[in-house]
Amino acid sequence: MAASAPSARADVPDARHLILVLGDQLSADAAAFDGADATRDVVAMAEVEAEVHRHPNHRQRVALFFAAMRHFRDALRDRGFTVKYQRVGAKDAAESLPEYLRRMIDHYRPERVVLTEPGRHDLREALRETAAEAGADLDLREDDHFLASHADFDAWAEGRSTLTMEYFYRAMRRRYGVLMRGDDPEGDRWNLDQENREAFREAPGAIKEPIHFRPDAVTQGALDDVEDRFPDLYGTLDGFDWPVTPGEARRAVRDFVEHRLPHFGTYQDAMWAGRPYLYHSRISAALNLKLIDPRYVIEKVEEAYREGHVPLNAAEGFIRQILGWREFIRGVYWREMPGYHERNALDARRALPDLFWTGATEMACLRDVVTQLLETAYAHHIQRLMVTGLFALLYGVRPQAVHDWYMALFIDSVEWVTLPNVLGMSQYGDGGIVGTKPYTASGRYIQRQSNYCAGCRYDPTEATGADACPFTTLYWDFLIRHEERLDGNRRMNFQLANLRKKSGDEREAIAAHARTLRRKIREGTA
């Protein structure tokens, strides 16, 4: 950040630049600070009710934003910046970010407003409109936190009939020289995913949990405010221990690389009841709030591989998530918005069952994951995709409702990453832009990757009858309902071929049981 030496100054009108910083832009290296001058510029930040109530949020998600924002505010003040900060609950507080920006423009009368591009399309447009209505020059700067700019992604996507993440990932590896040996990938393979699908055959032993960060006075103040002002939010604040500063985020990365990355690759798809973290990193929230730079994460992971601390399948598998998937998903979001949000390729219309908010179900896997979410605001990617996401897909939930739920309960949710992951990959609502097929599976997949089924009253091998697993029933029912729609998808050939082995009577029995099951789920008795 190019800022002049700290210098105290009065909070007076007529600032040179008004730098608006959003809650997921907490980096001193953000584009909005390029050329910043602490003696002449004012930074504006706000906690606003509209953002809290945009989704029926988890307490920990709101608290994380507030705590991290307040720490960033204090760090900027230590560097000499005047920071105008609206705290939630303040008298006469602006209720939305556009309203807050309008007030700041009216007060400071800046030569220009400087803003790093928001991670949400509608907010970007609303802030643009506000600045224009207020007669302010808006300097909207692309977010250089990412390794692929909008132009980079569009240039790669141009002329392609389909957008395949694997090919984008290879291009990014080549461009940045990550895990490369000259022009070739390390190990002579781009993707080691086949080595990264193991499950635990017995209870996993002691695995060092992610480093815990005890709340300091600033963080505790944020926790208290959330508890006091938003008693109707979901989840609990008990045990809140997320990194809320850049220093803590770097420690979290180093802790992961040292203690869990060596086995991350092999067991990244494994699940075990009551063990939420296993070998996962728990740094995505810090990444998405910009407390940590993805370049730093990639550097530390590759360094660990080069030094022989972690095997290639672990390093490659994790780097693919950061350099490949994360960048690809962002590219899809901005390329396809604003219409992307409304897509519903499978015409799914059902409401999200209450069990997603309560965990009250006899399905052991869903009960464990939702309970875990309410306690921690966290679930790893297979719990997201192949438990909660899979059930919503098979049940037939409207994808926008599924997206709202993910935005509400997951600590790391921000729209640019959550919408394509949920609507596209998890729910196939975009018809194949993100994923080449619906991620469908029966209860047998969950049985193979976890121990959930061992403690469940349902039988994952059965599709009908009193003990039939709801996942298995709804899997076959999904294929029956969408057989014609999916017939031309080559990646569905095997599943559809198995469906066609079933007789008409079997199909009718499955469909009838699925109808009964949906009724029980709506009533909360399944």
Side-chain angles (χ1 to χ4, degrees), residues 97-138:
L97 287 168
E99 179 188 349
Y100 179 71
L101 175 59
R102 179 59 185 256
R103 291 186 185 185
M104 293 297 98
I105 292 172
D106 289 346
H107 179 73
Y108 285 107
R109 300 191 298 276
E111 295 176 15
R112 67 178 57 183
V113 174
V114 179
L115 172 65
T116 301
E117 182 178 60
R120 210 174 78 215
H121 184 276
D122 71 304
L123 182 58
R124 184 187 72 177
E125 299 312 300
L127 294 174
R128 272 179 168 165
E129 182 178 340
T130 298
E133 290 176 349
D137 180 18
L138 176 62

Side-chain angles (χ1 to χ4, degrees), residues 349-365:
R349 302 293 175 186
R350 292 185 174 88
L352 190 74
D354 288 346
L355 68 87
F356 276 76
W357 301 105
T358 65
T361 176
E362 293 189 83
M363 290 175 275
C365 55

Side-chain angles (χ1 to χ4, degrees), residues 299-326:
E299 175 187 328
K300 291 301 176 185
V301 172
E302 183 170 19
E303 183 181 279
Y305 165 70
R306 301 289 182 192
E307 293 175 353
H309 177 62
V310 303
L312 181 59
N313 72 310
E316 188 278 318
F318 194 78
I319 285 173
R320 182 164 12 106
Q321 292 190 358
I322 306 297
L323 184 61
W325 191 252
R326 187 170 186 264

